[in-house]
Amino acid sequence: MANDSATDAAAAARLARFGKLPERVQFQEMVEEKKAAPSGAEIVSYNAEGSWNHFSCLALDLGL
């Protein structure tokens, strides 16, 4: 009987210190869905007049 009361006291101490385990997190709560956009389509569009300043060309550098 002394052993049972010691076990109950230890269990009560653990419960008081640690409480209970947190609830499980559902998979649906861990996943976030976003609509995908084509890569770079909204950010950068082609500009024919301004494209010359993004590339180095030896002929342009020499003025040919």
Side-chain angles (χ1 to χ4, degrees), residues 42-63:
E42 295 176 0
I43 300 170
V44 179
S45 61
Y46 179 70
N47 182 3
E49 294 178 2
S51 66
W52 63 270
N53 59 5
H54 296 289
F55 301 102
S56 178
C57 179
L58 183 59
L60 286 176
D61 290 342
L62 296 174

Side-chain angles (χ1 to χ4, degrees), residues 2-34:
N3 195 14
D4 289 339
S5 64
T7 305
D8 292 339
R14 277 194 307 274
L15 183 62
R17 182 174 179 190
F18 299 110
K20 64 177 187 169
L21 293 175
E23 296 296 323
R24 285 188 175 255
V25 178
Q26 297 296 322
F27 180 74
Q28 292 81 8
E29 296 174 4
M30 294 188 285
V31 178
E32 181 180 355
E33 295 181 5
K34 291 185 178 180

